Amino acid sequence: MMNNLTHTIDGAGQGSEGSFEVCDPSTSLPFALCPDGSGEQLDLAVLAARRAQRQWEASGWEARGEAVLAFSNAVRQELDSVARLLTHEQGKPLEEARAELMRACESMDSFSRQQLKSVVLRDDDMELVVEHFYAAGVAAVISPWNSPLGLFTLRVIPLLMSGSTVVQKPSPYTPLSSLRLGEIGRRVFPPGVLNVIAGRDPLGQWMTDHPGIDRVSFTGSVRTGKRVMASAAESLKRVGLELGGNDPAIVLADADVKKVAPKLLWAALRNCGQICMAVKRIYAHESVHDELVRELEALVSGIKVGSGLAQGTQLGPLQNRMQYDFVQELIADTRQLPGVRIHVGTETPSGEGYFVSPYVVSNVDDAARIVCEEQFGPVIPVLKFTELEDVLQRANSTCYGLSASVWSSDPKKAAEVGARIQAGTVWVNNHMMLDADIPFGGWKTSGIGRGNGLLGLQNCMESQVVRVLKTPA
Ligand code: NAD
């Protein structure tokens, strides 16, 4: 049993008295013990972050950018071993884990060049008005289990760039690869700047309750996001929430189905569907609907499901038992719908792993649970539409508003359709492109605030306006 990873607190490694098991989702068996961070250890991490904060902020954008770049390079040096650890605990195919880590490094490189400079808002005979931006202070970053390292960098690094210091908590399902990033960070950042502490759900609540924390950046479910906001309200902590999604993809009548189908397939199935911004429901115009269903059914039939560490695996297991049971429940619910057509892709490996075949579901209506809930699994519902007004109304009939896509041979027309979808990001002829310099975030219950880009930096900083009357007092 692997048992060698520690928290990073004040620049040093620290174990805990307690520990919890981390399972390999391809076997469901524990393969590692993770230290279970205590309240006292959280206090130490927050204290260290507070001590380091002023100097870190005073070091300036250039110096912080250099440190972030050094971190990114140090992570690249260990890419293979960290990616393997990620696959072991999360389940995704090794190539996907490597891609997640490479993208994380590219994001860090991009963040290292971002700066939010003071802005002159007015300069006339009467008055000089300048807006300055300051770090929030000590920030808590609480992360989910689906893309631990991609989300570690997208949330932690802008805060570090802005001059805040950070205490990060990974999900108890996938804590190990984040602890590894914390270890790598010890070689690069001054003590206290980046603290990584693993623990179970109560540690998350202690963080949102903690009086020494100024800002909470939370990524996870809507249910927990509401609790985070309620807890942060006590001390009016600043909160950024990146929550769930039920992304629609609308395929217009003029789309080239053969080209679109494989792109839609992987926008729905990557990471076994466990991505907030994955395609979760497809609306196809009646003139292309049947052909698209046939294409998707043919494509899922060729997918290789297996352990993420096995050669050639395209679809790994779901990450944990709770998610596996939920997706099985949705599949059972879908099976009993009258008239529904269900196409099951390839066989899953035998054993106790959390494997689910990829499914294409059609002849299903909008009220079905598989359509209106966030499935977070490899099940793709395809729905038919005739009128544009009708499909827009159906796409927008959801409590979510993270992202969406429109597919057509006329990108300009598709962009006009996309502009009418209530979501933070709308892609045309694409889905899931995410860049460190482009703001991303959700409408409605998909979140509050934006990450990435200058808007993302602004969101995690405090603004101060200085107004100077030019007439002497
Ligand atoms: P979750 O809400 O169960 O847990 C997320 C984190 O919160 C974990 O670290 C957990 O330990 C912690 N936590 C649990 N209870 C807490 C509490 N009361 N206070 C503070 N922290 C607490 O989410 P999950 O199941 O790990 O993640 C899946 C969800 O995340 C999906 O809904 C997915 O769409 C969403 N997600 C959103 C984005 C985005 O950018 N919008 C990205 C990835 C995942």
Side-chain angles (χ1 to χ4, degrees), residues 192-433:
V193 167
L194 172 62
N195 305 274
V196 180
I197 171 165
R200 294 187 247 219
D201 291 351
L203 176 63
Q205 168 126 30
W206 301 336
M207 291 167 92
T208 58
D209 287 344
H210 202 290
I213 286 175
D214 303 297
R215 181 179 177 82
V216 178
S217 166
F218 174 81
T219 309
S221 63
V222 173
R223 189 172 40 87
T224 313
K226 288 179 182 174
R227 288 204 197 131
V228 167
M229 197 160 167
S231 153
E234 271 304 305
S235 55
L236 279 181
K237 288 185 179 62
R238 276 55 181 143
V239 188
L241 300 177
E242 302 273 356
L243 309 177
N246 189 2
D247 284 19
I250 299 179
V251 184
L252 300 183
D254 61 1
D256 180 339
V257 169
K258 284 232 162 0
K259 269 199 210 157
V260 166
K263 293 182 183 167
L264 278 175
L265 181 87
W266 286 109
L269 293 189
R270 196 180 310 156
N271 199 16
C272 210
Q274 302 166 114
I275 300 185
C276 55
M277 57 180 171
V279 168
K280 308 256 169 61
R281 49 197 170 121
I282 298 176
Y283 292 94
H285 188 265
E286 59 179 353
S287 61
V288 290
H289 172 273
D290 294 357
E291 188 191 353
L292 181 63
V293 169
R294 279 196 303 275
E295 282 293 318
L296 290 171
E297 288 179 350
L299 288 167
V300 294
S301 300
I303 288 176
K304 186 164 180 235
V305 182
S307 158
L309 291 172
Q311 192 75 24
T313 291
Q314 292 173 289
L315 207 65
L318 289 169
Q319 202 282 322
N320 56 64
R321 176 97 233 169
M322 182 189 59
Q323 190 59 28
Y324 177 81
D325 289 345
F326 175 67
V327 172
Q328 294 294 4
E329 182 187 312
L330 285 185
I331 292 169
D333 181 83
T334 307
R335 282 192 188 285
Q336 52 80 40
L337 297 172
V340 71
R341 174 181 162 117
I342 298 182
H343 178 85
V344 187
T346 40
E347 288 293 297
T348 55
S350 55
E352 297 299 309
Y354 304 131
F355 297 105
V356 176
S357 288
Y359 285 73
V360 177
V361 174
S362 52
N363 277 352
V364 63
D365 78 44
D366 292 65
R369 287 186 63 196
I370 193 62
V371 180
C372 53
E373 294 185 26
E374 182 189 36
Q375 67 271 48
F376 233 51
V379 186
I380 315 173
V382 187
L383 300 104
K384 196 182 283 187
F385 76 91
T386 310
E387 301 296 332
L388 196 57
E389 291 307 317
D390 171 59
V391 75
L392 283 167
Q393 190 269 329
R394 291 160 69 192
N396 287 331
S397 292
T398 169
C399 61
Y400 294 109
L402 190 59
S403 37
S405 57
V406 184
W407 303 75
S408 162
S409 55
D410 180 347
K412 190 163 169 279
K413 184 177 78 187
E416 283 166 14
V417 174
R420 298 179 58 196
I421 302 177
Q422 296 157 356
T425 299
V426 177
W427 294 279
V428 167
N429 294 340
N430 204 306
H431 200 108
M432 277 214 280
M433 277 169 80

